[in-house]
Each structure stands twice: as structure tokens, then as C-alpha cells.
Amino acid sequence: MSGFAIFVLVLLGLAILLVAMGVKSVPQGLEYTVERFGAYTRTLKPGLNLIVPIIDRVGAKVSMMESVLDVPSQEIISRDNAMVTVDAVVFFQALDAAKATYEVNNLTNAVLNLAMTNIRTVMGSMDLDELLSQRDRINAQLLNVIDHATAPWGIKVTRIEIKDVAPPKDLVESMGRQMKAERDKRASILEAEGLRQAEILKAEGQKQAQILSAEGRREAAFRDAEARERSAQAEAAATQVVSEAISKGSIQAINYFVAQKYVDALQRIAAAPNQKVILMPLEASSVIGSIAGISEIAREAFGPKPGAAK
């Protein structure tokens, strides 16, 4: 083989090598920074890209996908001097490959330390009750602070989540006793409220019963008075009839009136609860005479009229 042929082959090999060095294929989800003599010039996007061989070189390969960073557990002293153990997780995504490469050294470590520092700052300014009950507020506050601090680095912090807040064991036991006491207190209050409501309902029932009983007695008294009034009216009418008969000289009417009063008096004496046997002289002739008077009145009232057929 002649020297010229060897020279051509060497040139061809160098050309192939230069083309291979100048062609860069960037995978999806990554971006490459290009440096020319050590200075940043541009960023290669996913796909096939060309650079100047020997002069240009790939500086850094930056992942543009969202990354997850675990924040290790750390002890934090709350505002009310309670020590708790806290761990978290941070989600962030690079938006500018050049800034993520050249604005900060070791991006992951920087985000981790910034998150740990701000977790201590934010959660240390809260009471223990707030740490245990207001995680959404803590997450939002941490996200706002860290995202603002990392903006110059060309990344976006999308989420920060507090995974666990663990108080000391003795504090957990104390909280358990406090919770049990609170539940017992609520149970006692509910029981007392139930008894109070039962007593109120019982009193209301008794009150209603007394009202109904009073209304019943009033109605009975009204009806009794009405009956006595009607009885008195009937008695007055009977007395008037007897008086008219007496005024006309009817001896039978006098006998009827006396006999009725006499028999009523005997009935009241016999109905008395403390009387079992009654021994008293009675004028039988007077009673018989009174009965005879009643018979005469009945014959005069219901007998045949004068002039009727016999």
C-alpha cells in the first residue's frame, strides 16, 4: 500500500471520528449543557444535536424530570419547649439546566439542607398542638419559603410533605391520659345533660298531669254546680207548686210536703257512715196520714174529670 492511500485512510478515520464527536443524541427527560473552552454557550434539548468537535464539549447532564428528595429525621424544639422528631419529603423539578448547573454547587445537597433548615425554622415557631393538627398550613408555608429561595437555581419546588411528627414517649403517654380525661369529662357532661333532660321532661309531664287534673276537677265542679242548680230549680218549682196548692187550702199538699221532708231526713240519717242500727220512736199515724195525703193528691191529679162517664 502506498503512502498516499495510507494518508487518505487516516483522513477518512479522522473525519469519521470528528463527526462522531460532533453528533450528540440527548435522551428524553435530560438536557445537556455545552461548554466552549470551559465557558457555557448553550443547552442541548432531547433529540439529535450537533456541536463543534474538540472546541465544544458536554458540560453537565441535567435531569428535567421531577425528583424526590427524602429529608432525614431531625429533632425540633417547638415554641412551647416540646421536642419532636420530624421527617419530610421534597418534590422538585429543574426548569433551567444552565442555572441548575452553574448557579449552585451540588443541587441535591443544597435543596436538602435548605429544606432541613426551614423545617426547623417554621415548625420551631409553632406550639405542639399546631404541629400535630395543622400539617397543611406547615406544608404550604414551607413550600412558599423554599420555592422562593430556590428560584435562582433554576428549579421549581412543587411539593413539600411532612411525613411524620413524633413527640417523645412520655409526652405521648401524657397526651393519652389527657385525651382519656377529656373523653370522661364529655361522657359525664352528656350523662348529666341526659339526667337533666329526663328530670325536665318528668316535671313537664307532672305539670301537664296536674293541669289536666285541675281542668277535670274544674269541669266536674262546673257540672256538679250545674246539677245542683237544676236540682234547686226543680225543688223551687216543686215548692212553688206545693205553696200554690196550700194557698188554695189543699190539706193533701201540706201532708205531701211534710212527708217528703220527713222521708228525706230519715234517708240522710240512715245513710250516715257512723250509724249501723237506728232505734227511734216513729209516729206511724203521722207517716200514714202523710201517705194518705199523697194518695189524695194523686187521685185528684190522675182521677176521672167531673162529668165523665162512669
Side-chain angles (χ1 to χ4, degrees):
M1 182 179 294
S2 64
F4 179 76
I6 295 173
F7 178 75
V8 171
L9 291 176
V10 171
L11 289 179
L12 183 60
L14 289 174
I16 295 174
L17 180 61
L18 290 174
V19 171
M21 292 175 60
V23 175
K24 298 296 180 183
S25 176
V26 180
Q28 183 67 37
L30 296 178
E31 289 186 2
Y32 294 172
T33 61
V34 179
E35 298 175 354
R36 177 170 296 176
F37 300 115
Y40 168 78
T41 57
R42 61 193 177 96
T43 301
L44 302 182
K45 303 296 182 180
L48 190 64
N49 296 271
L50 299 175
I51 63 173
V52 178
I54 301 174
I55 298 176
D56 294 340
R57 70 180 186 88
V58 174
K61 299 179 180 179
V62 181
S63 173
M64 307 304 291
M65 297 179 290
E66 188 171 12
S67 302
V68 181
L69 181 62
D70 284 324
V71 179
S73 300
Q74 58 178 331
E75 292 183 346
I76 297 174
I77 300 177
S78 64
R79 187 170 57 187
D80 52 356
N81 297 323
M83 182 172 292
V84 295
T85 303
V86 180
D87 57 356
V89 60
V90 179
F91 298 83
F92 68 94
Q93 182 178 13
L95 302 179
D96 190 326
K99 290 183 178 181
T101 303
Y102 302 110
E103 294 293 336
V104 61
N105 185 25
N106 195 343
L107 176 63
T108 302
N109 187 55
V111 173
L112 176 62
N113 283 276
L114 184 63
M116 293 180 68
T117 303
N118 282 277
I119 286 174
R120 285 195 298 269
T121 302
V122 172
M123 300 185 71
S125 63
M126 297 181 177
D127 295 331
L128 178 61
D129 292 339
E130 295 176 335
L131 296 181
L132 297 176
S133 62
Q134 299 186 12
R135 291 198 181 186
D136 290 340
R137 173 189 166 193
I138 296 172
N139 293 337
Q141 191 169 350
L142 286 172
L143 178 61
N144 182 48
V145 172
I146 297 177
D147 184 49
H148 180 73
T150 56
W153 300 345
I155 65 172
K156 172 67 177 176
V157 178
T158 57
R159 242 182 331 171
I160 297 179
E161 296 291 339
I162 300 297
K163 292 196 296 185
D164 189 22
V165 178
K169 184 177 180 181
D170 56 346
L171 186 58
V172 173
E173 293 176 355
S174 177
M175 293 171 60
R177 291 193 300 270
Q178 180 182 359
M179 188 181 301
K180 183 177 182 300
E182 188 67 24
R183 286 197 298 265
D184 293 341
K185 175 185 175 182
R186 287 199 297 266
S188 299
I189 292 174
L190 291 176
E191 183 178 1
E193 285 290 336
L195 293 176
R196 174 176 173 271
Q197 191 67 22
E199 291 295 331
I200 291 175
L201 293 177
K202 182 179 178 181
E204 287 288 339
Q206 291 177 352
K207 175 183 176 182
Q208 192 67 22
Q210 291 176 357
I211 292 174
L212 293 176
S213 177
E215 290 180 353
R217 290 195 301 271
R218 184 182 68 175
E219 184 68 20
F222 175 76
R223 294 184 180 276
D224 189 34
E226 185 178 6
R228 288 197 302 270
E229 181 182 359
R230 292 183 179 180
S231 177
Q233 291 176 355
E235 184 70 20
T239 303
Q240 183 179 2
V241 172
V242 172
S243 298
E244 292 177 355
I246 292 173
S247 65
K248 294 178 181 180
S250 177
I251 302 301
Q252 289 82 0
I254 296 174
N255 291 334
Y256 166 76
F257 186 75
V258 173
Q260 183 184 10
K261 297 298 182 181
Y262 194 78
V263 172
D264 290 341
L266 289 178
Q267 287 179 349
R268 288 194 295 271
I269 294 173
N274 58 349
Q275 299 294 332
K276 301 301 181 181
V277 179
I278 302 174
L279 297 175
M280 55 182 299
L282 299 175
E283 296 181 1
S285 59
S286 298
V287 177
I288 293 172
S290 299
I291 295 174
I294 296 173
S295 300
E296 290 296 332
I297 293 174
R299 279 197 300 270
E300 290 181 1
F302 302 103
K305 296 181 179 180
K310 296 181 181 179

